[in-house]
């Protein structure tokens, strides 16, 4: 036993070294132009280039050493562990779930409710701004958008690449109607949702006879059309300048967050003037909106319409053979998803106080779709986790000042956002091809609720 | 059941549920079905047989609205006397209002949904109405809850008939092949049809599964549901069907009781006209089926 294992281990090292060198060569080939050479304009406005061999060497070394460790150390270790598990016989099928696992949702909800207080307590009123706004609100907006898109993509299986259009409709509905009609946030929030849903139906009607790739292309085009209209219809939307000075939301009209007003919220409670209170209020608003989205999604899944959505994802022809009107079923999915996009959009407008077409580019649609796919299509928990990881992760990059010590003072980690985003997606898709939560909860059961493995569910063909 | 007043051939008695008249279907230059007429009687099992490529599935797709026929008229007469012209209805309306349900040659289940959910999806239209098109259902009204209870009872009833009660909470894609066939049939039954169209229900089944299928089909017929089926397995056709229609190259070549069709020289020529080994197999299967 000892001799062959020694033999294989030396063979393994040779293999690991070989693969490491190979990975290094590939990394060199990939990054030599992107990382190794940098172009910039000098004082005379000439385009000149300089080399960054040091940075390139780091990239290549990371790839080579990483591959070497993977092949030489980590993989054999994992294999040994797997073998040991298989040898020990009994598979642990019905392992008892941990306390944390069972009460995950309750714990997460309590943590979210306490989050703003905790950050005020830890970082002070002004210091909490960053954590409540940049992390909390930002992530929750994406959670809500992704949950809204989940109805269209995850449940009904309709690939929508233009979801950001409904987000834009919601945001501009709020911005324009509050500016021209002077209506308040609480009136315009449902109105923006209804308008977005209406646009969902208007888009859906001609488009839904298309399937799969064709549907994806047309929705993509629709997203761009909305953005171009917003840019070019300058009389109404003020084009690329955007609309600024959008009214802040109030606490149901009782307290306001405008510093000058008599019922200014912090003044009414004897607190110091700070914009942090507004952000904390907004945090709870978006949290409530997210919970509403989740509640409606969970309820709808148990209704005939929700089951029809999922059936549509599984097999459209079978749906038609069972007397389900696929056109109206698809339209309701589109409209419901668009409505939540509209809610999120009007919230976005009131939070920013400013909307411009720049916020509604295709990249946003792609990010939201990526969150849905990474999280596991149809799974609310998985999507929320994916939103925290992807959006929170990219926000976290801004905080990583220490990376400057490694890569030099002119290294800006934010610029590597998309690189890391892509890398994270590749890694997740390699290890969890169905997303973080690939299983499906059945909506009805006779004896026991068994989760449906991801290998049976389909992604839908449009 | 009121007696049918239509003119019919004297051998056919009882009222008609489905009447296909001068049906033609053209795909480009290909005449898949050419002036095809037949009738199916209420409460009968009518079999549509014929060699491969004869146009059987095309007839099915015309009846269930998946194809729009080039010419011809398809009339469905419901138990209460209402008539529907199927060629004018959309595919989902044929199931919803004309009460015709179908299965597919290659099984089309919702594989990621559980067996029970498959049967609940089939009751979509009833539940939709009960839930007030979702809005009242979201409020949790008792009428909707009652409808849900009734739909689960109906699903249980058919699960029991198909011998699938133990697998009710498993994903449909996890079932063995024969069980998937039975599930597809009871799923169609959950739509509450008057005419059930089965496209090769016995294809790929082993003898035991085939027997289970026959039992299921008999119990469906005893519910008063008429069945129209396409089948290749002669033992199944001869054992269960009351009426056989034979199709070759898109045209009807024979129509009558199984015994009549079996001895029809045209049918024998269509099936056995060519000398080869397969023919012997067909005869063997047929004799076996006849003996049982």
């Amino acid at each position: 036993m000892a001799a062959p294992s020694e033999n294989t281990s030396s063979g393994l090292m040779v293999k690991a070294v070989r693969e490491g060198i190979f990975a290094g060569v590939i990394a060199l080939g990939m990054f030599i132009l992107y990382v190794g050479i940098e172009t910039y304009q000098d004082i005379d406005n000439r385009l000149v280039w300089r080399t960054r061999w040091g940075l390139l060497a780091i990239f290549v070394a990371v790839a080579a050493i990483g591959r070497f460790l993977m092949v030489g150390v980590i993989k054999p270790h994992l294999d040994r562990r797997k073998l040991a598990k298989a040898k020990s016989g009994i598979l642990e099928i019905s392992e008892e779930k941990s306390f944390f696992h069972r009460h995950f949702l309750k714990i997460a909800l309590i943590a979210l409710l306490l989050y703003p207080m905790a950050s005020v307590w830890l970082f002070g009123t002004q210091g909490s701004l960053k954590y409540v706004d940049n992390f909390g609100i930002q992530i929750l907006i994406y959670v809500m958008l992704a949950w809204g898109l989940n109805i269209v993509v995850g449940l009904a299986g309709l690939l929508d690449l233009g979801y950001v259009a409904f987000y834009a409709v919601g945001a501009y509905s709020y911005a324009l109607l509050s500016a021209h009609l002077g209506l308040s946030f609480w009136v315009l929030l449902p109105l923006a949702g209804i308008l977005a849903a209406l646009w969902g139906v208007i888009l859906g009607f001609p488009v839904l006879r298309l399937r799969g790739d064709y549907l994806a292309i047309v929705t993509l085009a629709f997203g761009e059309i909305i953005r171009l209209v917003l840019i070019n219809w300058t009389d109404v939307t003020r084009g690329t300048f955007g609309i600024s000075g959008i009214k802040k939301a109030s606490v149901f009209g009782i307290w306001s967050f405008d510093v000058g007003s008599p019922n200014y919220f912090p003044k009414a409670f004897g607190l110091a003037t700070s914009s942090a209170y507004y952000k904390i209020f907004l945090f709870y608003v978006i949290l409530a909106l997210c919970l509403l989205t989740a509640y409606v999604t969970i309820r709808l899944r148990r209704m005939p319409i929700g089951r029809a959505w999922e059936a549509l994802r599984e097999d459209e022809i079978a749906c038609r053979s069972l007397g389900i009107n696929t056109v109206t079923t698809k339209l309701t999915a589109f409209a419901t998803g668009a409505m939540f996009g509209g809610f999120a959009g009007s919230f976005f407008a009131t939070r920013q106080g400013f909307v411009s077409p720049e916020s509604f580019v295709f990249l946003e649609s792609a990010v939201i779709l990526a969150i849905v796919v990474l999280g596991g299509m149809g799974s609310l928990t998985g999507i929320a986790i994916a939103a925290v990881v992807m959006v929170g992760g990219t926000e976290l990059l801004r905080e990583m000042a220490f990376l400057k010590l490694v890569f030099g003072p002119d290294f800006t980690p934010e610029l590597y956002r998309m690189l890391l985003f892509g890398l994270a997606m590749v890694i997740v898709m390699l290890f969890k091809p169905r997303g973080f939560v690939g299983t499906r909860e059945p909506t009805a059961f006779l004896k026991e609720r068994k989760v449906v493995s991801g290998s049976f569910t389909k992604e839908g063909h449009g | 059941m009121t007696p049918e007043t239509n003119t019919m051939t004297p051998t056919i008695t009882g009222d008609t549920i489905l009447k296909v008249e001068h049906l033609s279907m053209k795909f480009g230059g290909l005449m898949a079905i050419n002036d095809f007429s037949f009738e199916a009687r209420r409460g009968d099992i009518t079999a549509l047989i014929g060699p491969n490529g004869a146009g059987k599935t095309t007839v099915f797709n015309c009846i269930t609205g998946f194809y729009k026929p080039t010419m011809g008229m398809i009339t469905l007469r419901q138990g209460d006397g209402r008539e529907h012209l199927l060629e004018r209805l959309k595919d989902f309306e044929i199931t919803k209002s004309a009460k015709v349900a179908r299965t597919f040659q290659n099984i089309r289940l919702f594989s990621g949904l559980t067996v029970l959910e498959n049967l609940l999806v089939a009751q979509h239209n009833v539940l939709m109405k009960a839930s007030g098109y979702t809005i009242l259902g979201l409020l949790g009204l008792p009428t909707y809850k009652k409808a849900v209870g009734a739909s689960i009872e109906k699903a249980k009833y058919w699960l029991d008939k198909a011998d699938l009660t133990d697998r009710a909470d498993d994903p449909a894609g996890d079932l063995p092949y024969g069980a998937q066939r039975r599930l597809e049939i009871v799923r169609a039954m959950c739509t509450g049809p008057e005419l059930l169209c089965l496209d090769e229900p016995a294809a790929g089944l082993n003898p035991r599964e085939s027997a289970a299928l026959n039992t299921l089909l008999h119990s469906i017929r005893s519910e008063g549901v008429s069945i129209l089926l396409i089948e290749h397995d002669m033992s199944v056709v001869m054992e269960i069907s009351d009426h056989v229609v034979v199709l070759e190259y898109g045209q009807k070549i024979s129509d009558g009781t199984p015994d009549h069709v079996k001895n029809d020289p045209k049918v024998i020529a269509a099936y056995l006209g060519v000398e080869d080994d397969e023919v012997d197999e067909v005869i063997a299967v047929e004799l076996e089926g006849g003996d049982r």
Side-chain angles (χ1 to χ4, degrees), chain A residues 201-382:
Chain A
V201 173
I202 290 171
L203 159 74
F205 209 69
V207 154
L208 287 176
R209 59 195 67 232
L210 302 173
R211 295 171 53 130
D213 311 349
Y214 304 101
L215 178 73
I217 293 166
V218 175
T219 51
L220 170 69
F222 180 78
E224 289 301 288
I225 287 169
I226 291 269
R227 192 172 63 87
L228 290 174
V229 167
L230 292 178
I231 290 176
N232 290 306
W233 197 8
T234 43
D235 297 343
V236 175
T237 64
R238 302 194 53 227
T240 45
F241 294 112
I243 299 169
S244 51
I246 297 169
K247 265 204 313 198
K248 284 179 177 175
S250 62
V251 188
F252 306 108
I254 304 168
W255 295 293
S256 146
F257 287 99
D258 298 316
V259 184
S261 88
N263 51 354
Y264 180 54
F265 181 84
K267 212 164 73 182
F269 287 85
L271 299 163
T273 303
S274 163
S275 61
Y277 298 113
Y278 182 51
K279 298 296 179 192
I280 291 170
F281 167 66
L282 285 182
F283 179 89
Y284 285 115
V285 171
I286 186 71
L287 185 60
L289 284 173
C290 280
L291 292 178
L292 175 80
T293 315
Y295 176 76
V296 171
T297 309
I298 290 167
R299 283 304 296 264
L300 281 180
R301 270 195 71 209
R302 292 182 194 153
M303 304 288 291
I305 187 71
R307 286 204 196 101
W309 287 341
E310 289 200 80
L312 200 66
R313 178 191 68 204
E314 299 288 318
D315 194 325
E316 187 180 342
I317 290 174
C319 272
R320 274 153 51 192
S321 84
L322 296 175
I324 294 172
N325 185 343
T326 50
V327 173
T328 52
T329 306
K330 283 181 184 179
L331 275 182
T332 48
F334 242 78
T336 315
M339 184 180 74
F340 290 120
F343 286 157
S346 71
F347 176 82
F348 173 79
T350 191
R351 174 225 185 187
Q352 300 291 92
F354 169 72
V355 288
S356 82
E358 205 118 297
S359 312
F360 309 108
V361 289
F362 169 67
L363 191 65
E364 290 293 309
S365 288
V367 167
I368 300 163
L369 185 65
I371 289 171
V372 174
V373 173
L374 279 180
M377 300 212 290
S379 158
L380 295 181
T381 319

Side-chain angles (χ1 to χ4, degrees), chain B residues 179-215:
Chain B
Q180 290 197 5
R181 280 267 176 220
R182 292 202 300 281
L183 175 60
E184 203 193 13
I185 293 169
V186 293
R187 187 183 66 180
M189 283 312 297
C190 277
T191 64
E194 294 197 15
L195 176 68
L196 178 65
C197 301
L198 304 172
D199 197 345
E200 296 207 22
L205 299 189
N206 64 34
R208 243 181 77 185
E209 291 169 331
S210 221
L213 177 79
N214 281 358
T215 322

